[in-house]
Amino acid sequence: MSIARAKEILKHQFGYDSFRMNQEQAIETVLQKKDCVVLMPTGGGKSLCFQIPALMMDGLAIVISPLISLMKDQVDALVSNGVQAAFLNSTQSTSQQSKVFRAIESQKLKLLYVAPERLMQSGDQFIDYLKKLNISLFAIDEAHCISSWGHDFRPEYMQLAKLKVHFSGIPVIALTATADKLVRKDIMEKLALKSPALFLSSFNRPNIFYSVEPKRKSYEQLLNYLSKHKNESGIIYCLSRSSVENLAKDLKQDGFSVLPYHAGLDRETKEKNQELFLKDDVKIIVATIAFGMGIDKSNVRFVVHMDLPKNVESYYQETGRAGRDGLQSTALLFFSWGDVVKLKSFASVDGNQEQSKIMLKKLNQMGEFGDLKTCRRKFLLNYFSEEAKDICGSCDNCNTQYERFDGTILAQKALSAVKRLEQRWGTNYVIEFLRGSKSEKIKAEHKELKTYGVGADISKDNWFDYIKDLIAQGYLKQTDGEYPILTLTAKSDAVLKGTEKVDLIKTKIKEEKKESLVSEGTRDYFRDLFASLKQVRKHIAERVNIAAFIIFSDATLIEMSTYLPLSLDEMKKISGVSDAKAQRYGEAFLKEIKTYCQTNKLESRIQLKEPKRESKSKSRTRRNSNESDTYNISLNMFKKGDSISTIAEARGLATTTIETHLIHFIKSGEVKLEQLVPVHKIEPIRAAIRKLNPGIATAPVKQFLGDDYSYGEIRAVMASM
Ligand code: ADP
Ligand code: ZN
């Protein structure tokens, strides 16, 4: 069984041209009947690591998955690609279950999804049943659930330890998106894997932009954000059920398409709300963390945390639900230290000091993340023991400039307060003391000290920021533990003596969020066609009753809207179009694309598509090779009578970009100058250019001619000269 065969399956059964990350190695290992542990970020493509071997090996693959809701989607997705798969869980009726058993016995089934508790039901009965079958492999999804060191321990996973006892020769592949070293080791040991291979992929999610805002007026900030992201799909997490309810209500009143989700709702409502979200009938879900584990929706464009997650693992996992389709997405967190304090009470695990300590430490690390002044991506990657560049260019901090000022005197005040208070007090106390608080909390003898009240002119918030900055710069230290205390450091002395100057951060100047490579690569597609294709998808989804994104992901529809395939063969060149899906749904989408091309006098651009390659380089190279193409698209639309602003709108590009495209064709005569510039303006512009002789600079001409003349018009006339 060769990897060449695996590639064929990847192409025909799943519609992709090449493997991602460690998929190939993992598949090879399983095919050799060896155990392995696969760590890949959410959306990385873990499923194929066992699905492809399952298709290549004799017998039935058993997939253990903790989430009943996820099972159905995974099985739906497999079936839509023509794979024989089924699941067994408690939501099924007896007759549904019998049907599955019949399928197993017919030996046609290739994959069976089961919950861990189902596997171990009624003693070893089910295990004994499986022993009589020909089992190809066991795949254990969300394998971190087996470890009590992790953040998501599930006791029922402990039973999986027995697997290797009963099925010693059958390969086990354990998969997870979050596991530090300790958890990894736990997975291997608890599952009793035999010298397992470990496949670690980068945890970087390059298409997610990480951003944190102070938790102040967060509702207004949220509205501001959402108004800029209309019609996008997103998840907003809140800590409590009541805040979920309230926020959902408020957003609804403010005109957003939104539904709540939390464990307090009855099952029917939860299922309905989730379904509507999956089908894109509702854009936003406001939820507690009860929502999402089973959500495999690929076009989630943003994940907002109104409250702080309990640990970095949860934050990473929850934000990871954005952008599974690889398109640009945002993770936004509203942060305050108050949340850290609030969560402390939840962090203690009854009667388990050890575990409580772990949870508390994890919580504090989450706080550090919220407070970070350096690259957030680097922090996350380092947290998962991965190296990273200092600057990612795609998080708020990398896009922020901090203005600094000479804060030496402020630093001296803070450090000497810490010193006078004998390095025995926490930040809050020190600030109250500096500000000369009359509160009884401040000891009487402290009120006698010289430094008491020397910082009264600075607000509490600012003092917090300065002290954090001093800690970050190493002039102060904060002890660990439940009640951290401020202490001096080796660097403090020089400041106190006045021999060292200290710069403090004044303000944050945020730059406009830069578009990342990922979105640039997908910029040149016909947005109106994409919208129609989404409609086609929605109708099919309703007809066959599966989630829309299982039919085709947004990324696949965007490719269609870029390359305009006009036959089934061309369609199969689009990433994500398997043979089965082309057969099943191809015609419906082709019809829409054909109509669009006819009305707009467009031809297929499939020859511009390089062989499917799954990497960022695709987006990078595509733009260059498409440069002349993007000009032509604008030209064609212009020729058929669209105005510059209409073209810009439809293509999601700036009007100046479209002008550039069209001006390009003035030289060849395909666009007439008169089509771009009103006739009466042409001569005055020409005269000005002759007079000023500005070379290629348009600004002097514009200055000379005034507001009645646009840069575009001037550039067009220049091109004609
Ligand atoms: P995970 O389980 O790691 O979160 P999935 O297995 O659900 O990720 O895969 C995420 C998405 O990526 C799916 O839509 C899947 O079809 C797609 N995918 C997986 N492998 C590839 C590949 N080699 N090329 C292109 N797309 C892929
Ligand atoms: Zn960064």
Side-chain angles (χ1 to χ4, degrees), residues 481-700:
E482 201 172 343
Y483 301 103
I485 290 168
L486 286 177
T487 61
L488 299 177
T489 72
K491 281 173 83 180
S492 309
D493 218 28
V495 178
L496 285 168
K497 283 193 188 127
T499 52
E500 185 164 332
K501 276 178 62 174
V502 180
D503 280 344
L504 290 174
I505 288 169
K506 190 152 113 202
T507 43
K508 233 161 81 154
I509 309 160
K510 281 203 184 167
E511 285 172 15
E512 268 292 285
K513 168 177 152 184
K514 286 191 194 117
E515 262 189 298
S516 85
L517 276 176
V518 186
S519 62
E520 273 181 31
T522 50
R523 225 156 52 176
D524 300 348
Y525 63 93
F526 293 96
R527 288 182 193 232
D528 42 352
L529 175 60
F530 175 54
S532 329
L533 294 181
K534 279 212 296 213
Q535 281 303 315
V536 174
R537 180 176 67 179
K538 190 156 175 282
H539 289 313
I540 299 177
E542 271 157 19
R543 188 157 49 78
V544 299
N545 193 28
I546 57 177
F549 62 88
I550 288 178
I551 294 172
F552 286 129
S553 70
D554 278 12
T556 298
L557 295 190
I558 285 177
E559 274 213 1
M560 290 184 194
S561 317
T562 308
Y563 297 112
L564 311 174
L566 292 174
S567 67
L568 273 187
D569 276 344
E570 290 187 351
M571 186 66 109
K572 284 187 197 165
K573 297 204 170 117
I574 301 292
S575 183
V577 182
S578 63
D579 291 358
K581 285 189 181 177
Q583 276 312 323
R584 228 170 275 196
Y585 314 122
E587 283 302 338
F589 290 89
L590 276 180
K591 200 171 144 223
E592 191 68 34
I593 300 169
K594 280 181 186 162
T595 315
Y596 184 83
C597 287
Q598 267 160 16
T599 1
N600 295 301
K601 301 212 169 45
L602 290 166
E603 283 170 6
S604 166
R605 300 155 64 203
I606 199 78
Q607 72 284 356
L608 293 167
K609 179 162 166 45
E610 345 157 14
K612 292 182 231 177
R613 201 168 332 106
E614 262 305 315
S615 74
K616 276 160 274 147
S617 64
K618 173 176 73 180
S619 17
R620 250 183 265 130
T621 47
R622 193 204 288 164
R623 234 161 76 82
N624 300 335
S625 68
N626 271 11
E627 200 150 275
S628 65
D629 191 54
T630 183
Y631 283 55
N632 279 316
I633 298 168
S634 299
L635 176 66
N636 287 336
M637 294 177 79
F638 188 69
K639 276 185 177 165
K640 82 166 220 264
D642 284 345
S643 71
I644 291 176
S645 58
T646 312
I647 303 172
E649 175 97 356
R651 304 198 58 204
L653 297 172
T655 49
T656 49
T657 308
I658 307 297
E659 280 169 2
T660 306
H661 292 173
L662 298 178
I663 288 168
H664 173 82
F665 292 105
I666 286 184
K667 279 206 184 92
S668 66
E670 278 168 283
V671 171
K672 300 260 174 310
L673 183 60
E674 296 76 31
Q675 289 177 287
L676 297 181
V677 188
V679 183
H680 70 273
K681 288 191 187 174
I682 295 177
E683 212 28 64
I685 299 176
R686 274 200 187 125
I689 293 171
R690 281 197 206 101
K691 184 177 153 74
L692 300 167
N693 200 9
I696 55 162
T698 46

Side-chain angles (χ1 to χ4, degrees), residues 177-195:
T178 59
D180 57 29
K181 285 195 188 118
L182 223 51
V183 175
R184 263 179 245 163
K185 195 160 154 263
D186 234 13
I187 293 174
M188 295 177 183
E189 284 174 7
K190 296 247 164 71
L191 289 175
L193 302 183
K194 288 186 196 151
S195 40

Side-chain angles (χ1 to χ4, degrees), residues 375-378 390-395 397-398:
C375 178
R376 298 206 195 265
R377 191 177 309 277
K378 181 180 164 79
D390 284 343
I391 292 171
C392 77
S394 186
C395 73
N397 286 343
C398 287

